[in-house]
Amino acid sequence: MLSVRLALAALGRPLPAFDLALRRYWEHQHPGELLEDYLDRGGLAARFGKALPQQMQSALADVAQALMLPGTVGSAIGQVTGALVGALRERRQTVRALAGCARLADLLESEPDLDALSYYPHLLAWELARTPPAKRVTPVILLDAFEEIGDRTHRDFERFLQRLVWLMPNAFFVITGRSRLQWGDEALQGQLDFTGPTAWPGLATRDTAPARTESPAPGRERQMLVGDFSFEDSDDYLARRLSVDGRPLIDEGIRRVIGQRSHGLPLYLDLSVMRFLDLRRSGNTPRPADFDHDFPALIARTLSDLTAPERNVLRSVSLFSSFDITLATRAAGLPRQAPALRLVERPFVRETPFELWPFHLHSLIRATIRGADDQTDDRWSPADWHQAAGRAFAALGEQWRQGSDQDRLLLMGCLRQGLAIARDFALGLDWLTDAAWTYVGDSVWEPLDLVAGAEEEGAAVTAADALVELLSALARRQHENRARTAERLLAVTDTGLLPAELSDMAVYYRAKAQRDLGQTEESRQGMRLVADGGGRLAPNARRGLAHLSRLAGDFTAALEAAERLGWEGRHHRVVGDVQWVQGDMPLAAHAFEAARAEGEEHGKSGEAAMAQAMRAFTLAFTSDPSADAEIDLGEHLLAQVDLRAATLDVRIAALLRDAGTDAGVEERAQALAAEISTSGLLFIQAKLELARAFHHAIRDDQAGLASSVSRLRELTREGYYAYYVDIAHFMADLLLDTPSRARWLAEQRTVRQRWRALVLDRRALLASGPTAGAR
């Protein structure tokens, strides 16, 4: 109150209503101590000048004179205020200048204690309101570091400061602190005098916007969360913070390193400036490398005003990339959520309301708490960190197990965070094993995007390291050459770190990659090993063996195997893969439709997408008008998953749909061939070449057909998919150069007739009109 009144002394006039009340309070609370001496000792007089005591004395004398009190009584504040109260109650004309202040008499009569003092701002606001227009001002009052007034339980001092703000509507208050101002919350009724959105409409939670977002409606924003500086703002601050002759003292290279390291955190920028000055004082020339640095002081400054439970929660949630209140409380090992609820109000905790876990620490704060040399008194030992990691890991597993099996968002979130914690703290796999099986079971293959651990890439030392590499290899195989996938999976199995069932996973998917690469014998060995083991992937491995039979042209064996596979072995899809090669497109399309429906029934979107991709591919050979819709559906389903081979199947289907037309089929096929060649997907290359042969057969392009047959021979020279060469001959009604080695389900003549009929039907469609077969 003294600071505000001293600043207003610059008006050059007494403020008698306030000055009398303040003088009475002072003499009652500080008997025998002169206000002038107090101001001199505190440095306030030097800062604001010595006008206040004289103005207060002048106000006292003026009132005494108006009341016709003896001059010797002019300095006795008790006598003056008593007489003034009486005059105000009696509405005497002599005090009409002060009579307009309705609460003055009540405040002068009340006990001059701290509670009464907190209402004196009303008197100050009244005095400001009646200041002559020529001298009228709007005080700007800054209440900085507001968090230091107390905690969120004991709010006595906060109540006094709130009265100051409430009772001075003609002043502009800027309140800054580390925590959100809660006065707009209804729940504080009874703890503070003025609460809720009616009293503070601009402070309601809904009006609190994060930094750097679109501002709310003009005039409604009263509380702003100060966010990170942009890189440009950080550089501007550092350039202006220290300068010599108008030029930045911190050079551009150092500013760049500091800006990148700071993530825009103002406190980090401030600490970096102090480090720069310390280096110069010690005679060193600061270099950019000097600022690739963690500041332990950042931890101390961040923790300084947190309670012990809040500090416990903060360190615990640094283990998470994002969290909610339940995770934070469980990881901290606390019985109640109150510390976590208080912590998330801090500005270094960011909130994204619509995320799975809405809260996350500022990235620099998180990295510093986990990585810097913590010298605080209650710092954690390695054992403390390990125990917290165990609690955090268990809490993630509990959330995953309590969620729905179909909740991929929850699965991926728990996998990413759980794998990182288990890897960083050498924890056992526990629930991660089941989560990994759920991840691979749907063939969706979302990227895990795990940040590299402390160990170098490839240097797996724990089971979690190996599982991270296994799942990353499976996800990346949609974007890497299959040879790279096989290499990575072999390295995983060679570590010997995974339990047997997860080692089976690596062996099975390596066998799939080998099959795609044309290494069919190695693939057969891997599939047989997994199938004989009887584990979770045994049905898949038996399907893999059926596929290998189909690749070799033993369609009878493949179909017989399909009858024993059941849903786990994706029997309908195996039947469809066998039947389309026979030229029986209706039967194959029906099988793929059944496979898609079964996938949807079991909630396996990846399986449904793969089956639909092959249904679109199959029907694209025909003149069925539904082919366009089937391709569109395939694209729609694949947009939700990451399946490279199936996506290529749909793109080949689009070529087949346009086969025989002038829609740039050959040019599109060449571009697609170049893309496929980088994937190592040998069977997709063969499928594409078969589609080109279909196009040439429709157009009766003998040269083009001969080129396609030649490429098919090269692609199938190991004997697998060799029947594609036979089918190309069937399409063009050409005799085979050598007898077919395939075991067709029907007589070879029947198969030949079916494929030739597809070509003739397309020719007839194209001949029926200029737009009949064109898009």
Side-chain angles (χ1 to χ4, degrees), residues 182-234:
Q182 294 180 311
W183 297 349
D185 294 349
E186 290 278 14
L188 292 182
Q189 187 173 7
Q191 297 185 61
L192 298 174
D193 294 334
F194 315 102
T195 60
T198 302
W200 307 95
L203 294 184
T205 303
R206 63 178 179 274
D207 290 327
T208 303
R212 302 193 182 281
T213 60
E214 184 178 352
S215 298
R220 288 191 57 79
E221 61 271 20
R222 292 292 183 271
Q223 181 165 197
M224 294 165 287
L225 300 185
V226 179
D228 301 337
F229 287 3
S230 67
F231 181 81
E232 293 77 11
D233 287 343
S234 298

Side-chain angles (χ1 to χ4, degrees), residues 345-560:
E345 293 183 353
R346 299 290 174 151
F348 52 77
V349 178
R350 307 301 164 85
E351 182 177 6
T352 310
F354 301 108
E355 293 293 326
L356 173 63
W357 295 299
F359 303 108
H360 65 277
L361 288 183
H362 185 285
S363 54
L364 179 61
I365 297 291
R366 183 186 180 216
T368 304
I369 287 176
R370 291 194 60 180
D373 186 13
D374 186 351
Q375 295 299 317
T376 55
D377 289 342
D378 62 347
R379 61 186 177 273
W380 279 6
S381 69
D384 293 330
W385 279 105
H386 195 272
Q387 290 174 5
R391 293 192 299 266
F393 181 75
L396 285 168
E398 183 178 323
Q399 283 206 7
W400 175 66
R401 288 189 170 116
Q402 290 175 352
S404 167
D405 290 342
Q406 309 304 321
D407 192 342
R408 294 290 295 187
L409 184 64
L410 177 63
L411 169 68
M412 294 306 300
C414 290
L415 258 182
R416 289 185 181 113
Q417 298 215 71
L419 281 168
I421 293 173
R423 178 194 62 194
D424 294 346
F425 292 90
L427 304 178
L429 295 181
D430 193 53
W431 58 270
L432 284 175
T433 298
D434 288 336
W437 283 109
T438 303
Y439 172 71
V440 303
D442 197 21
S443 302
V444 177
W445 310 119
E446 305 98 325
L448 289 169
D449 296 330
L450 289 176
V451 177
E455 299 293 331
E456 294 182 2
E457 184 179 355
V461 295
T462 67
D465 286 322
L467 183 54
V468 168
E469 175 62 11
L470 169 59
L471 298 183
S472 297
L474 296 183
R476 284 296 304 164
R477 74 196 181 102
Q478 305 300 328
H479 307 280
E480 291 181 337
N481 189 289
R482 286 295 197 265
R484 172 62 178 151
T485 301
E487 177 186 332
R488 293 179 68 180
L489 294 176
L490 177 61
V492 168
T493 55
D494 285 348
T495 64
L497 295 170
L498 291 175
E501 57 180 330
L502 290 176
S503 183
D504 266 4
M505 184 188 295
V507 172
Y508 169 74
Y509 281 100
R510 177 161 57 92
K512 284 192 69 174
Q514 290 168 332
R515 184 188 70 202
D516 295 341
L517 292 166
Q519 301 169 7
T520 49
E521 190 53 42
E522 294 88 341
S523 176
R524 188 184 302 278
Q525 292 175 7
M527 292 292 184
R528 178 60 63 192
L529 180 64
V530 175
D532 291 346
R536 299 197 203 195
L537 285 173
N540 303 64
R542 287 193 287 271
R543 181 180 76 244
L545 292 170
H547 280 316
L548 288 169
S549 295
R550 174 176 60 85
L551 268 56
D554 192 349
F555 303 120
T556 302
L559 193 60
E560 290 174 353

Side-chain angles (χ1 to χ4, degrees), residues 118-340:
S118 68
Y119 288 102
Y120 291 179
H122 167 72
L123 305 177
L124 198 56
W126 181 79
E127 292 283 12
L128 285 172
R130 74 187 193 110
T131 302
K135 292 190 174 183
R136 191 165 296 167
V137 297
T138 299
V140 178
I141 302 172
L142 173 63
L143 302 178
D144 195 11
F146 201 72
E147 71 277 356
E148 295 181 9
I149 65 170
D151 57 40
R152 293 299 179 91
T153 302
H154 304 93
R155 296 179 181 266
D156 294 337
F157 188 30
E158 185 177 0
R159 179 182 295 110
F160 294 146
L161 287 178
Q162 191 201 42
R163 288 175 187 169
L164 169 67
V165 178
W166 180 265
L167 295 171
M168 292 191 69
N170 48 359
F172 183 81
F173 286 89
V174 180
I175 302 177
T176 64
R178 297 190 181 189
S179 302
R180 181 177 65 82
L181 203 59
Q182 294 180 311
W183 297 349
D185 294 349
E186 290 278 14
L188 292 182
Q189 187 173 7
Q191 297 185 61
L192 298 174
D193 294 334
F194 315 102
T195 60
T198 302
W200 307 95
L203 294 184
T205 303
R206 63 178 179 274
D207 290 327
T208 303
R212 302 193 182 281
T213 60
E214 184 178 352
S215 298
R220 288 191 57 79
E221 61 271 20
R222 292 292 183 271
Q223 181 165 197
M224 294 165 287
L225 300 185
V226 179
D228 301 337
F229 287 3
S230 67
F231 181 81
E232 293 77 11
D233 287 343
S234 298
D235 186 73
D236 183 68
Y237 168 79
L238 293 170
R240 294 171 183 270
R241 180 67 172 80
L242 300 175
S243 62
V244 176
D245 298 328
R247 300 181 62 184
L249 187 60
I250 305 176
D251 67 42
E252 184 179 359
I254 294 176
R255 297 201 308 268
R256 184 182 304 109
V257 172
I258 295 173
Q260 291 170 345
R261 288 273 301 178
S262 72
H263 294 272
L265 188 68
L267 175 55
Y268 186 93
L269 299 176
D270 189 43
L271 292 171
S272 297
V273 169
M274 290 191 288
R275 179 172 175 79
F276 183 89
L277 293 174
D278 288 341
L279 289 169
R280 282 176 58 89
R281 291 190 194 103
S282 63
N284 297 313
T285 301
R287 298 170 302 156
D290 294 326
F291 295 88
D292 189 9
H293 181 74
D294 288 324
F295 290 105
L298 187 61
I299 301 176
R301 299 265 296 264
T302 302
L303 299 179
S304 60
D305 62 325
L306 299 179
T307 64
E310 290 169 355
R311 294 195 294 273
N312 189 24
V313 174
L314 176 60
R315 289 189 172 97
S316 299
V317 298
S318 72
L319 297 166
F320 298 117
S321 58
S322 60
F323 61 94
D324 59 14
I325 298 299
T326 300
L327 279 181
T329 304
R330 291 272 285 107
L334 297 176
R336 295 182 300 278
Q337 293 185 345

Side-chain angles (χ1 to χ4, degrees), residues 27-49:
E27 293 198 356
H28 186 275
Q29 295 292 334
H30 304 272
E33 180 181 4
L34 295 177
L35 180 59
E36 293 88 337
D37 293 342
Y38 176 83
L39 296 176
D40 286 337
R41 287 198 311 272
L44 292 174
R47 181 180 176 189
F48 292 103

